[in-house]
Amino acid sequence: MSNKLDRRKFIGALSLGGAGLAVGIPHFAKASDVKPAILGGPKAHPGSFPTWPMFDQTEEKALTDVLKSRIWGRAGGPTVTRFQTEYGKLLGAKHCLGVSSGTSSLYTMLGALDIGPGDEVVIPVYTFIATYNVVTLNYALPVMVDTDLSSFQMDTGKIEAAVNPQTKVIMPVHMGGSPADLDRIMEISRKVNVPVIEDACQAPLAEWRGRKVGTFGLGGGFSFQASKNINAGEGGAITTNDEQFARYCNNFHNQGMSGRAKTDYEDGGGTRATNMRLTEFQSGVLLAQMTRLIEQANQRNENANYLTSLLKDIPGIMPAKLYDGVTRSAYHLYMFRYDRKHFADLSRERFMDALRAEGVPCSRGYATMNTDKYVTELANNKHYLKIYGEKKMKAWLEQSKFPQNDLLSEQQGVWFTQNLLLGTKTQMEQIAEGIKKIRKHAAELTKS
């Protein structure tokens, strides 16, 4: 009888290894019954997650085709045109413009709107610094809004209070690839008569009520930087359903020219412009990446939903909430909150160290942007003092206090990157088992 049981254990272990995963914790034992790896136990996830970026001969051919064509830049480039058509169609947008980066997409849209000194732009405080930078590059004032702890998104209940007669744009971020509360944001936009520019840099294929993000506001900006779900190293795109705005964006990103003729500056859109053009090489890689984009998006979504089902019942682990209107997240990031009270007061840093030891890479996410010296020094910037005055800049600094975001950034936020969600169902289970191990032995970890 004993030999038969051992044989079943052995066969089970072999089947786990046959799935392409190294064998760590025996599958017949609960992970929480053994010590965390950081205390000498076996790893919950002893294998490796899929690496990023992914590529094959499709990308190689795309690059060599452009190389041999001798058309490398945007002017006269058929590959850029094809990418814009295909990406716009994928998102259901009437117009799509390829640009040099996600930052360029946002900067171009603000430029097309002629945002400048004296103007204000409402942004979330929980975002990558680029959202802030595109505002200050125009010498406009970034007005930050606190975070909804449950979702990691902009707290829509605080947007209206941030709006005044100088507000020219509301720029929400679809953080981590999950849509912000677009019903409420668009309602506020209509009420205060201020356009919305969607920072959808992390959110290709994310949907709100069955419609792709980046198509709700006046325009949407996307990034194809190296970490993104669709990757060309750098690159970006603008989507819009407004023909005039599309034309203004095109002019701004192309040195003020429409592109129909070298001297064509008559299309309107202001008197400032720059070069934010996408190249043929980037477009070729993006078209190649798009051949597997939907399949990867479906896999991320399936794994994220399964992981949430495993984590939501672990006390102290709170997966980021998806609003009722979300019909799909892009899951550029899988985000959750960690409450140390349920882990014997184990610090977030020690928790993450223990999780990494289990073979699960993770990070704390964004820091408190509003307290970073790079941001706070704006109050002393000579140009801003000249434009807004010392009193206004002092008030801006004093008002940039966000208790919800402080809690999220300094104590609770934890991220997994999108490539982890391209793993297997078994790997999602191993992530959960690693966290359970840590929680069971949290008191011991707190003392060690």
Side-chain angles (χ1 to χ4, degrees):
M1 195 70 174
S2 161
N3 289 337
K4 288 179 181 176
L5 180 60
D6 290 344
R7 185 173 179 273
R8 284 199 298 271
K9 292 177 183 178
F10 178 69
I11 290 171
L14 282 180
S15 68
L16 180 58
L21 298 168
V23 179
I25 300 165
H27 79 290
F28 49 83
K30 288 186 179 179
S32 54
D33 291 338
V34 297
K35 282 189 175 184
I38 201 168
L39 295 178
K43 290 184 177 183
H45 176 253
S48 59
F49 289 98
T51 55
W52 192 258
M54 293 180 177
F55 69 94
D56 58 24
Q57 66 275 12
T58 316
E59 280 82 358
E60 291 180 20
K61 185 177 184 303
L63 288 169
T64 55
D65 284 352
V66 171
L67 188 70
K68 292 173 182 177
S69 75
R70 298 184 183 275
I71 303 173
W72 297 356
R74 181 186 181 91
T79 316
V80 175
T81 300
R82 184 180 158 215
F83 165 71
Q84 291 176 158
T85 300
E86 293 300 319
Y87 195 68
K89 189 186 301 181
L90 184 67
L91 269 62
K94 291 180 181 178
H95 306 278
C96 176
L97 177 69
V99 292
S100 56
S101 69
T103 305
S104 300
S105 71
L106 302 176
Y107 184 60
T108 295
M109 286 188 283
L110 294 185
L113 288 171
D114 200 24
I115 301 302
D119 295 336
E120 297 186 11
V121 178
V122 176
I123 64 172
V125 67
Y126 195 74
T127 183
F128 183 55
I129 195 66
T131 312
Y132 164 92
N133 281 338
V134 296
V135 179
T136 58
L137 278 170
N138 287 285
Y139 293 99
L141 192 65
V143 178
M144 293 171 277
V145 169
D146 208 351
T147 309
D148 175 1
L149 271 176
S150 67
S151 66
F152 288 61
Q153 306 292 337
M154 189 180 205
D155 186 341
T156 55
K158 294 180 168 60
I159 293 177
E160 231 178 309
V163 174
N164 62 50
Q166 284 71 51
T167 305
K168 298 300 184 288
V169 174
I170 298 170
M171 192 156 65
V173 176
H174 301 304
M175 184 59 217
S178 297
D181 187 350
L182 280 166
D183 283 355
R184 182 64 183 134
I185 290 167
M186 296 311 298
E187 180 187 355
I188 294 168
S189 169
R190 290 187 291 269
K191 179 180 178 181
V192 299
N193 196 29
V194 173
V196 168
I197 294 295
E198 296 173 69
D199 182 339
C201 286
Q202 299 179 356
L205 299 186
E207 294 178 359
W208 181 267
R209 304 199 186 281
R211 179 176 158 189
K212 303 291 191 299
V213 302
T215 65
F216 287 83
L218 179 60
F222 294 86
S223 170
F224 309 128
Q225 176 267 346
S227 71
K228 298 301 192 294
N229 298 20
I230 173 172
N231 166 24
E234 291 290 354
I238 293 166
T239 53
T240 181
N241 291 317
D242 186 292
E243 184 176 355
Q244 184 184 64
F245 185 63
R247 191 168 70 248
Y248 287 2
C249 286
N250 178 63
N251 293 356
F252 185 89
H253 102 296
N254 192 37
Q255 304 290 19
M257 299 183 289
S258 69
R260 290 193 293 272
K262 288 185 179 179
T263 56
D264 187 0
Y265 295 96
E266 284 78 47
D267 263 8
T271 55
R272 296 181 300 140
T274 186
N275 172 9
M276 297 289 181
R277 296 186 293 261
L278 190 70
T279 70
E280 287 282 286
F281 287 111
Q282 290 168 306
S283 298
V285 172
L286 291 169
L287 284 165
Q289 291 270 295
M290 284 173 64
T291 62
R292 58 184 83 87
L293 179 62
I294 293 175
E295 180 184 354
Q296 290 173 339
N298 290 340
Q299 188 174 0
R300 288 188 194 97
N301 202 56
E302 184 178 334
N303 277 331
N305 289 339
Y306 184 51
L307 184 58
T308 295
S309 74
L310 298 173
L311 298 186
K312 66 183 179 63
D313 294 326
I314 302 176
I317 301 296
M318 296 158 280
K321 170 188 172 181
L322 299 181
Y323 294 116
D324 290 342
V326 176
T327 44
R328 175 184 285 269
S329 169
Y331 282 112
H332 174 62
L333 298 166
Y334 185 92
M335 306 179 293
F336 66 90
R337 286 188 294 141
Y338 166 78
D339 187 347
R340 63 191 292 169
K341 292 197 298 290
H342 295 274
F343 281 73
D345 206 34
L346 184 71
S347 71
R348 179 181 60 172
E349 286 65 32
R350 185 65 171 156
F351 166 78
M352 290 192 300
D353 286 343
L355 192 53
R356 293 183 192 112
E358 297 295 338
V360 181
C362 58
S363 74
R364 58 178 286 178
Y366 294 135
T368 49
M369 182 171 71
N370 57 300
T371 63
D372 191 288
K373 187 178 179 183
Y374 175 74
V375 173
T376 59
E377 278 301 301
L378 190 70
N380 299 314
N381 180 281
K382 62 182 179 181
H383 305 294
Y384 273 76
L385 289 171
K386 187 183 296 183
I387 295 164
Y388 299 95
E390 186 176 347
K391 183 179 179 181
K392 172 77 172 179
M393 292 310 299
K394 184 179 179 182
W396 173 82
L397 190 62
E398 289 174 349
Q399 289 162 10
S400 298
K401 292 179 173 57
F402 308 106
Q404 293 175 170
N405 191 68
D406 290 347
L407 179 60
L408 181 64
S409 297
E410 295 173 358
Q411 298 182 40
Q412 293 193 344
V414 182
W415 290 0
F416 299 145
T417 51
Q418 52 88 8
N419 58 297
L420 272 67
L421 298 176
L422 295 176
T424 64
K425 186 175 181 181
T426 298
Q427 287 178 309
M428 302 305 106
E429 293 167 353
Q430 290 171 329
I431 292 171
E433 287 303 305
I435 293 174
K436 289 177 182 176
K437 280 171 64 179
I438 295 166
R439 183 170 182 273
K440 182 169 184 179
H441 297 269
E444 190 177 350
L445 283 166
T446 303
K447 296 172 186 174
S448 65

